[in-house]
Amino acid sequence: AVMPSITEDSYEVDLIFYENFIGKNQSYISYFKKNSREKFQFNLRAFVIDICKNFYIKNIDNLEIDTYKNEDICYSYRKATHASLIDTGRNLSFIMLK
């Protein structure tokens, strides 16, 4: 399952992040959209799902909840940073294969 995470419209990255990321693999360019502020929106969820598919994981549940926009039910490091919070929450992710 792809748990709640930041979504593309909330995940703005700069040119350095973009260039470093696509420098690893030119096909990764498909996970970015240039925005009007000369930055990029990164589709982390699509990237994670595609990586899972590349490892032949067939059953992928997708909980389409944006952690940045749903701070009342989810923790978002990016949201906490933007709010200048000193003490932040923690997240844990894992993959289980049978």
Side-chain angles (χ1 to χ4, degrees):
V2 179
M3 302 305 287
S5 62
I6 195 165
T7 59
E8 182 179 30
D9 57 329
S10 297
Y11 201 176
E12 181 181 79
V13 298
D14 61 18
L15 180 62
I16 294 169
F17 180 97
Y18 170 79
E19 288 176 343
N20 286 336
F21 206 87
I22 64 168
K24 307 275 185 209
N25 185 325
Q26 286 296 308
S27 71
Y28 291 169
I29 198 167
S30 65
Y31 300 106
F32 294 90
K33 289 182 186 170
K34 195 167 189 178
N35 67 28
S36 61
R37 292 177 298 286
E38 298 300 314
K39 294 197 176 187
F40 299 86
Q41 300 305 127
F42 176 48
N43 193 337
L44 175 63
R45 182 174 300 279
F47 177 74
V48 168
I49 289 170
D50 287 349
I51 293 296
C52 289
K53 289 177 182 177
N54 288 342
F55 283 99
Y56 305 104
I57 298 171
K58 296 177 183 174
N59 298 322
I60 303 170
D61 290 324
N62 183 8
L63 300 173
E64 296 183 29
I65 298 172
D66 185 342
T67 54
Y68 190 89
K69 291 180 180 176
N70 291 282
E71 62 188 276
D72 54 325
I73 60 170
C74 297
Y75 168 73
S76 168
Y77 175 79
R78 182 164 284 233
K79 186 75 163 190
T81 301
H82 288 167
S84 299
L85 297 177
I86 295 170
D87 187 26
T88 60
R90 306 292 181 267
N91 286 326
L92 174 66
S93 298
F94 64 94
I95 296 175
M96 182 179 91
L97 302 174
K98 289 184 177 184

